[in-house]
Amino acid sequence: MAFDFEDMLVKIKDKQWALVDIDWDAPGAETIGPELWTKLKPFMSDLMWIENVGARGFAAMATKAPTETLKEIYTYFHAEEQKHANAELALMRRWGMLDGDEIPQPNINVKLVIDWLDKYSDQTSLAVLGTVIPMLEVALDGALVKFIVDEIDDPVCQEVFKRINSDESRHLAVDFQVIELLGHAKMRRILVETVGAWMKPSLIIGTLRYIPLLNKMRDNIVDMGVDEQRLYSAMGRFKKVGERSEFPRRLPMYRFITWHSGVVIDRAHPYHKLADGLVRLTSKYPKRLLRPQPTWSKELTYEPVA
Amino acid sequence: MNETLNVAIIGGGFAGIGTAIRLKQKDVEDFALLERGTAAGGTWRDNTYPGAACDIPSRLYSYSFAPNPDWSHTYSGSAEILGYIEHMVEEFDLRPHFRFGHNVIDVRWNDATSLWDITFDAQPPMHARTVVMASGPLANVSFPAIRGLDTFTGHKIHSARWDHDYDFTDKKVAVIGTGASGVQIVPELVKVAKSVKVFQRTPGWALPRVNFETRQTTKDLYRRFPTAQTAARKAWFWGHESVALGVVWNSPLTRVVEAVGKVHLRRQVEDPWLRRQLTPDFRAGCKRLLMTSEFYPALQKDNCTLVTWPIATLAPDGIRTVEGIEHQADVIVFATGFDVCKTGTPVPIRGRGGRVLADEWSGGAKAYKSVSVAGYPNMYFTFGPNSGPGHSSALVYMEAQIDYLVEAISHALARDLVLDVREDRQQEYNEDLQRRLQKTTWNSGCSSWYLTEDGFNATMFPGFATQYVGQLRAVDYEDYSVSECRPLSRSSR
């Protein structure tokens, strides 16, 4: 049966929730012990920032959506990712991880991605963003969020991530449907668009920022005590779900992303020499070369009301 | 016996008053202006929100047959326009023709009498040989389809039904809508409110609005030499006509209009993300162009925030947006425009053989030259289907409609005729019109109040104002089926 985007949009609107729906002062915050607290802080910060960059990705996708309905869906996803980031920030505040009104700083790899998204995402094709963003979402949904749900007992946190998971399942359903739609295009068009995309230095720069981001994510979750296999099986799921139909395989960008995820999860692959090297290199990236942080990345808030 | 008039004009705004003036000038005195309100002025009586003004220069946004040398600025505010309307009512002695408190609820053609039977909700019915539907497209307010609209417990104000008793001082204000009225209201509210949150769904193309004060010497000149005022009006007319090349048709000149809009935005907004949020993703002209030099600076005031997250629902204390935040407000201002009749009629209209106009227009309104509809004899529309300008003054178009229908009415009254436009001529006209509309900016792929949900354009005229005026210069009676009135109708005069 054909996917009904209209129906999905109605469902998205029906499932809206707000930060005020959650009792942030309810008991349970004390379940986070000091050891977990220390590890959780950078983890939550990364998670929040990745949601925020995902949000910006959807904002860019909305501008090139082929239909008004899909455009509206992406506009909602943009806001929902921001809501997830806001909710995660509110959890950090609940757990006493914020110093006053402080918003945790993104790590350098996230900063590089923010910088890239700010400069290039609006000019990047749907075929590129529409395959990269789902990969990040699969990793988020399948590894990081799952880890939180499994390891943290705080009922408020459970409630928040139940809602986030529910949103993300709709995001993934649309993401994969769009990949399939893109795969229906004529091969000549697909090839012209792919060559066109890779001719742009922005995509090379973006790839060089995406590669260390993934490995850095892996390092961070390993530091948390998460089995990195979780991330790998989540990334493997991208290929598994994507290839339930023949069409995604017609997309060179999809093939590249699945190949890339394949080498990422193969720890013995020489790729990791490059990726880990890039992580080390980017950790020394001179901050003065980064443009000022864009205002869209300063809109995060833990306040349920404004 | 119920009253029978020669002409019933439904609506006492600009169009109704213009029709009345021209009828009087043709010595047709047996007419009434049926007005549901208690004062003349229509849209300009209703739109009195702070900052309300016309975005067409006053010299052009006034009737050529009722020139006003005293316009204070290039663009006038609503109070001054309403003053002009009231001045016309007095000058042309229209007050006796007004029937205030006459809210029409049904208009029905009677084949047996060749009369229109008009029913009101609280007045005795009346009959008329001719009806002019001058109810205007911007008469009924529109609230957006937002979830939880009635759950908000604070104060709600629609821009076209302003509550002048409400004190905005130190209040938290939410404004929904950034169209023509939204961009005028926001700069005024930020001056007094504690905070203003502006909820934008789609940004529009905004062009600078340079509003000069008219010098006394210029006013004196226009008063002493009316031809100078006529010349100034013509200059504005042709200036706007040239803009049609970029605004009406999707052409290389549309890019020039967009470039002007982008430069305007860049000059006034420093932050790149705010600029992106305010940059439209449709062709200039596709939605109504905004004329404002105050909106962007107002948005950047410390007490003002632009919110572009979709609205999830209204809640008792404010507006919940999809990024999960409840934006609390003391008052919500709905600058969400009007319920423009594209697929229905403002009041039920039944024509020959009991046909219902709303049913016939359910897929999109259609008329002959926007003024006549087949099957609805001796009925004329001002601002009817496909008479909207995207680049010029509505009053230029309205004046052409009025002159046309007054000519037809006086012709029919003098000869006891029933004029009903031919169905085939109406169809030919609309086929040509819709073909021409395909090349316009309005049909270039955005959704707007110009189009029905199915994308049918029932509102705009695809051409220069000159072309529109030209097609209405003379009544082509061959395009109408002409019959004599029934004796009953004559005897009732």
Side-chain angles (χ1 to χ4, degrees), chain A residues 10 13-21 55-56 59-63 68 71-72 75-80 82-84 86 118 122 294-296 299 301-306, chain B residues 145 147 172 195 197 201-203 271-277 280-282 305-306 308-313 315 317 319-329 445-447:
Chain A
V10 173
K13 289 180 178 177
D14 287 342
K15 299 279 183 183
Q16 284 307 312
W17 56 281
L19 266 58
V20 286
D21 296 333
R56 182 63 183 87
M61 286 160 84
T63 63
E68 279 300 309
K71 180 180 173 180
E72 197 173 351
T75 306
Y76 268 75
F77 286 179
H78 171 209
E80 285 184 343
Q82 182 83 5
K83 172 161 61 191
H84 300 169
N86 286 339
D118 192 49
D122 287 341
T295 42
W296 57 262
E299 289 180 7
T301 175
Y302 51 77
E303 296 281 8
V305 297
Chain B
R147 290 172 190 226
K172 287 196 281 183
S195 68
K197 286 198 174 177
R201 184 177 148 85
T202 316
D271 179 53
W273 178 243
L274 184 58
R275 272 207 305 269
R276 183 198 187 272
Q277 290 173 300
D281 64 353
F282 51 83
T305 315
L306 178 71
T308 57
W309 305 113
I311 293 174
T313 181
D317 296 326
I319 299 171
R320 290 185 190 173
T321 39
V322 179
E323 96 287 21
I325 308 304
E326 182 172 296
H327 302 269
Q328 296 192 335
C446 69
S447 57

Side-chain angles (χ1 to χ4, degrees), chain A residues 214-228:
Chain A
L214 276 185
N215 272 42
K216 176 78 175 172
M217 267 169 70
R218 185 208 62 204
D219 292 349
N220 284 357
I221 67 168
V222 171
D223 284 349
M224 269 290 296
V226 185
D227 181 1
E228 63 185 286

Side-chain angles (χ1 to χ4, degrees), chain A residues 92-106:
Chain A
M92 291 181 79
R93 181 173 166 79
R94 167 179 165 80
W95 293 330
M97 290 170 177
L98 305 184
D99 188 10
D101 289 338
E102 170 223 8
I103 306 280
Q105 281 293 300

